[in-house]
Amino acid sequence: MQNVMICEPLELEYLASNIEALGHEAIIVDMILEKKSLAYFLKLHKPDIVGLTGYIAHVNVIKEYAKKIKAYDEKLPVVVGGVHAEVNPEDFECEYIDYIVRANGIRTFIEILDSLEQKEDAHRIPCVYQKNGPDVVKENEFNYLFPARDKVDKYRKHYYYMFHRNCSLIKTSYGCPYQCKFCFCRQITDGKYFTRTLENIIEELESVPETEIYIVDDDFLVDRKRLFRFCDMLEEKGIDKKYLIYGRADFIAANEDVIKRFKEVGLRAVIVGLESCDSNELVDYNKKSNVAINEEAVAILKRYDVECYGTFILGLDWRKEDFKALGRWIKKLGLVFVNLQPLTPLRGTEMYEQYRNDFIVAEEEYEKWDLAHLVVKPTHISARKYYWYTMVLYYTITANPVSAWYMIKKYGLHDTLKLTVGAFKVNWQYMKKLMRGK
């Protein structure tokens, strides 16, 4: 997906601001964008400690980076964190990684620094992973300094999401109050859901120079009273920005007035987990929604000219007819931007045990657990056909004159061409999967 979006490393910016407040110096190197090698930056900055973060698809990359760090200096401490490390820390066990953060990332990283300075054993810190170690208590509040966004100034012009150029990320809540069976998000906070204060959020927004804001909460549309107050505070403070958020279809369908109000103060687009055009599948996923609700949500967003980025789960028992049915439904709704993902039972989710005996990809092939590869054998069609029908579906929705003209009129020829090139690269990845048949 880096062909259509690259976002700032918000978690590292939080680490940077909070450790520099204690007298340390922090440098962020974004290896998604850098052309030079990791060895180059190690020699340039001569760090006393290196922290690495990434998602499930980066486990092997992180291990390889750790190996290179130890080749540079075998005594240089290597710390690994991030959402995958917190839920499945054992995946990072290797001789090149010294500390794996399994909870409360900022606080734990600071405790590791303190222990190393005092020449104490940082493995005794409760939230540093130890095999068969005790359970940990995860934070249910977030009281930390704002992220040090200036640490990535050199990369800022490269950060974007679709048509949202130079966008900054902000997180206002943690966890999710819902219980979808396929979702990894709830595992990170052990099912807890908590929010930052609106006053704190507004203060941070006032400090962000960019006008495009990507609110990366797992679900921003939860509490209508909170949302109305948020909109009022934006207006009171004269904050003029554009917002991209995540939101559930059932909330949108039941709270049209919230969408109307939010549009007035800058709502530009909502990423909506529509998941399926089959209500039975939505029940299986425990979405607490149905097709009629999905249709109403999309209609409301259209009514107020708020872009809908629809995400869909492609069933493992699908036939050609199911792909066609989804395509017809998406066209009926008038959606232009979609994300199509094969059902992927990530370890830690409720669906994992249901499918683990049917994996066609080894769990150690982490780069293929990216929500784009098939990791479970389809029931009725071959993997090659599955990828082909996925490609055809993408092209049916986005690569047609009506969609192209819509994008040009709304976003301009330049941005449309850039996104088209990115979309072509994504589809080329599918073409290679199709040729390999896996």
Side-chain angles (χ1 to χ4, degrees), residues 217-406:
D217 298 22
D218 300 322
D219 183 1
F220 187 65
L221 302 178
V222 175
D223 182 338
R224 57 179 282 115
K225 288 184 179 180
R226 183 173 184 264
L227 288 163
F228 273 121
R229 180 59 187 143
F230 175 70
C231 293
D232 290 345
M233 293 175 75
L234 290 176
E235 204 165 63
E236 290 165 7
K237 295 289 185 177
I239 298 175
D240 183 15
K241 298 185 185 296
K242 303 299 180 184
Y243 301 92
L244 164 66
I245 65 171
Y246 289 92
R248 282 176 58 97
D250 54 351
F251 184 94
I252 296 169
N255 296 275
E256 180 175 349
D257 55 343
V258 173
I259 301 302
K260 180 178 183 294
R261 177 68 176 120
F262 203 168
K263 171 66 179 181
E264 293 170 351
V265 293
L267 180 61
R268 185 179 179 194
V270 185
I271 303 169
V272 186
L274 299 171
E275 318 307 359
S276 178
C277 63
D278 184 329
S279 290
N280 290 326
E281 287 186 337
L282 294 173
V283 170
D284 289 342
Y285 299 151
N286 199 31
K287 278 293 293 187
K288 307 295 185 186
S289 185
N290 58 48
V291 173
I293 288 173
N294 281 346
E295 292 177 350
E296 177 63 15
V298 173
I300 288 171
L301 294 177
K302 279 185 170 295
R303 198 169 297 146
Y304 297 100
D305 192 28
V306 175
E307 199 72 77
C308 178
Y309 298 146
T311 66
F312 294 89
I313 296 174
L314 308 179
L316 298 171
D317 60 347
W318 279 20
R319 296 178 169 88
K320 180 180 181 179
E321 293 73 19
D322 296 295
F323 287 90
K324 283 189 169 184
L326 179 59
R328 287 193 299 269
W329 188 69
I330 290 173
K331 277 195 164 185
K332 184 184 82 169
L333 294 182
L335 291 176
V336 176
F337 305 107
V338 298
N339 186 14
L340 309 175
Q341 301 176 341
L343 179 62
T344 305
L346 296 171
R347 183 150 37 94
T349 66
E350 189 175 336
M351 283 189 161
Y352 174 77
E353 292 297 334
Q354 179 182 344
Y355 289 100
R356 66 179 305 182
N357 294 327
D358 300 315
F359 292 163
I360 57 175
V361 168
E363 294 192 61
E364 294 73 27
E365 294 181 273
Y366 296 103
E367 60 279 358
K368 293 182 179 178
W369 291 78
D370 59 357
L371 306 184
H373 285 78
L374 272 168
V375 299
V376 179
K377 182 177 175 57
T379 307
H380 300 298
I381 59 177
S382 67
R384 184 173 277 113
K385 284 186 176 180
Y386 196 99
Y387 285 130
W388 172 251
Y389 296 147
T390 301
M391 283 183 57
V392 169
L393 187 52
Y394 266 125
Y395 277 114
T396 299
I397 298 163
T398 60
N400 60 72
V402 174
S403 296
W405 182 237
Y406 168 84

Side-chain angles (χ1 to χ4, degrees), residues 54-62 84 365-371:
Y55 297 103
I56 183 172
H58 308 121
V59 172
N60 288 328
V61 176
I62 287 173
H84 188 73
E365 294 181 273
Y366 296 103
E367 60 279 358
K368 293 182 179 178
W369 291 78
D370 59 357
L371 306 184

Side-chain angles (χ1 to χ4, degrees), residues 71-238:
Y72 165 77
D73 181 353
E74 63 180 11
K75 295 183 179 179
L76 184 57
V78 176
V79 184
V80 170
V83 295
H84 188 73
E86 293 196 8
V87 179
N88 299 299
E90 64 278 3
D91 286 355
F92 290 98
E93 287 185 287
C94 78
E95 60 185 301
Y96 309 111
I97 295 173
D98 300 291
Y99 309 104
I100 304 167
V101 177
R102 61 172 179 159
N104 310 331
I106 299 173
R107 190 184 75 196
T108 303
F109 193 82
I110 290 171
E111 290 174 349
I112 291 172
L113 294 181
D114 290 344
S115 293
L116 294 177
E117 282 195 319
Q118 300 299 320
K119 301 189 183 305
E120 297 173 348
D121 183 8
H123 291 101
R124 295 182 179 179
I125 297 169
C127 291
V128 171
Y129 171 71
Q130 298 181 61
K131 200 162 190 172
N132 301 316
D135 292 337
V136 296
V137 177
K138 295 189 176 182
E139 295 172 327
N140 57 10
E141 58 181 5
F142 194 85
N143 298 313
Y144 292 102
L145 299 176
F146 297 153
R149 300 179 190 276
D150 61 306
K151 296 295 180 180
V152 294
D153 280 349
K154 64 181 286 192
Y155 308 119
R156 179 64 58 186
K157 65 181 180 181
H158 299 292
Y159 293 136
Y160 73 105
Y161 187 106
M162 303 284 281
F163 294 106
H164 307 263
R165 299 283 166 183
N166 301 323
C167 66
S168 282
L169 273 57
I170 182 171
K171 193 164 178 65
T172 77
S173 69
Y174 299 82
C176 180
Y178 298 94
Q179 300 181 32
C180 302
K181 290 183 179 179
F182 55 82
C183 188
F184 190 77
C185 303
R186 297 184 74 255
Q187 316 309 318
I188 301 164
T189 59
D190 287 345
K192 297 175 182 176
Y193 172 75
F194 57 96
T195 64
R196 292 168 54 189
T197 67
L198 289 177
E199 290 74 17
N200 187 249
I201 296 163
I202 293 296
E203 184 182 351
E204 181 176 352
L205 282 172
E206 288 182 303
S207 72
V208 178
E210 286 73 36
T211 56
E212 291 283 352
I213 304 296
Y214 180 9
I215 301 178
V216 293
D217 298 22
D218 300 322
D219 183 1
F220 187 65
L221 302 178
V222 175
D223 182 338
R224 57 179 282 115
K225 288 184 179 180
R226 183 173 184 264
L227 288 163
F228 273 121
R229 180 59 187 143
F230 175 70
C231 293
D232 290 345
M233 293 175 75
L234 290 176
E235 204 165 63
E236 290 165 7
K237 295 289 185 177

